[in-house]
Amino acid sequence: MQPNAPTLLEVRAVSKGYDGRTVLERVTFAIGRGEIVSLVGPSGCGKSTLLRAIAGLDRDFDGEILLDGVPQRGPSARVGVIFQEPRLLPWLNVGHNVAFSARPQRGTDPRVAELLGEVGLAGLEKTLPKQLSGGMAQRVALARGLFPRPDLLLLDEPFSAVDAITRTRLQDLLLSLTRAHGTAALLVTHDLDEALYLSDRVLLLAPSGRNGAGCLARDVEIAAPRPRDRRDASLARVRDELLSGIGAALPAA
Ligand SMILES: Nc1ncnc2c1ncn2[C@@H]1O[C@H](COP(=O)(O)OP(=O)(O)OP(=O)(O)O)[C@@H](O)[C@H]1O
Ligand SMILES: [Mg+2]
């Protein structure tokens, strides 16, 4: 964890199985307030499963998940979730989608216009989701995720469905939004360069537990100063370290 950042999230010895098969084994880590942490690891090692448990969407696991020291027992307005696809409600306009969590006054809250301005979509309150590009829709999803003023955003491969240029713009947007709102983020990504560019720390989940269950294999701090240069040599060194960590944890191809 970053020095001086008070602890926000604690994941303590979380294990999870499906149909008698363990897919996560005693995963333990903490995230400080405002910290940006990426979670990387090979497909199937339990990243989305872990995110669902932290989001309170799945309560059937062993171990403990605490927010500010309080065990979490289900979904909370303090934890926002953003998925790979924007999941906007097609029959609601952009404004109502952003304010969805604030029913019944949704859409009229002045924070809707404020957040839409912050994500570069000022004035699009009345637009319907079908009129948006994929990148615009994901911006709306970011605004919706921030609307309840969460302390923690959980993002599961949030930019993997957009083109490379839109992706770098959305990465910068995520950085500026989390900094402006003091929101911590836990981001699942398959893109190591994205993890290195965005994160204060990178967690590597690897299938090194019993029968390939996901275990925390590395917890690497990224000390490179911000704003970061994506070609920074120190990032390339951490990239090599993570790749060798992934290689060591995988069975030979
Ligand atoms: N609802 C479910 N029922 C049974 N098994 C499941 C279920 N959801 C996930 N699994 C299994 O749990 C393991 C971890 O899945 P998970 O989706 O968390 O992996 P992941 O790391 O997010 O993978 P990817 O990078 O491909 O998204 C996989 O073996 C998967 O088949
Ligand atoms: Mg996944």
Side-chain angles (χ1 to χ4, degrees):
M1 208 157 41
Q2 292 288 293
N4 309 325
T7 303
L8 174 67
L9 173 78
E10 284 172 83
V11 173
R12 289 190 189 156
V14 166
S15 297
K16 161 85 189 166
Y18 286 115
D19 314 319
R21 184 172 70 93
T22 306
V23 299
L24 281 177
E25 200 172 286
R26 298 189 63 80
V27 174
T28 297
F29 65 91
I31 294 183
R33 282 200 165 268
E35 206 178 9
I36 301 182
V37 177
S38 287
L39 181 62
V40 301
S43 192
C45 70
K47 304 180 296 297
S48 297
T49 301
L50 181 58
L51 231 60
R52 274 201 302 276
I54 297 171
L57 299 172
D58 177 0
R59 285 191 260 175
D60 181 22
F61 60 86
D62 293 326
E64 268 193 313
I65 295 175
L66 302 97
L67 212 56
D68 282 332
V70 179
Q72 290 304 288
R73 309 235 175 271
S76 153
R78 297 184 55 199
V79 180
V81 188
I82 292 172
F83 300 94
Q84 182 172 359
E85 66 295 344
R87 300 194 184 185
L88 303 179
L89 294 172
W91 60 89
L92 292 182
N93 66 29
V94 162
H96 285 153
N97 266 288
V98 170
F100 188 71
S101 58
R103 286 175 289 177
Q105 328 83 308
R106 61 184 182 217
T108 56
D109 191 306
R111 270 179 45 76
V112 171
E114 218 172 276
L115 278 166
L116 284 176
E118 282 187 61
V119 299
L121 297 177
L124 291 197
E125 283 87 339
K126 300 276 188 289
T127 304
L128 282 172
K130 67 177 179 198
Q131 298 170 273
L132 303 174
S133 70
M136 290 162 90
Q138 202 56 315
R139 286 169 187 265
V140 176
L142 279 171
R144 180 185 55 189
L146 287 168
F147 185 82
R149 302 182 202 273
D151 293 309
L152 175 66
L153 270 188
L154 303 172
L155 306 104
D156 198 349
E157 302 187 45
F159 309 136
S160 55
V162 297
D163 65 88
I165 293 170
T166 305
R167 186 174 186 133
T168 60
R169 289 193 180 152
L170 288 174
Q171 289 166 352
D172 286 327
L173 178 63
L174 177 66
L175 275 184
S176 64
L177 289 171
T178 48
R179 288 292 181 252
H181 292 263
T183 315
L186 178 60
L187 167 98
V188 170
T189 178
H190 280 285
D191 180 345
L192 281 186
D193 294 320
E194 176 169 275
L196 296 170
Y197 180 67
L198 292 177
S199 315
D200 298 309
R201 272 161 59 219
V202 179
L203 307 177
L204 169 62
L205 205 61
S208 47
R210 262 172 298 142
N211 300 317
C215 293
L216 198 63
R218 293 270 203 291
D219 182 341
V220 185
E221 191 173 330
I222 315 292
R226 300 175 188 275
R228 286 184 184 157
D229 177 348
R230 292 174 191 268
R231 293 155 304 176
D232 187 323
S234 71
L235 294 183
R237 278 195 296 279
V238 182
R239 191 178 199 286
D240 288 346
E241 184 188 337
L242 286 167
L243 278 174
S244 67
I246 294 171
L250 282 176

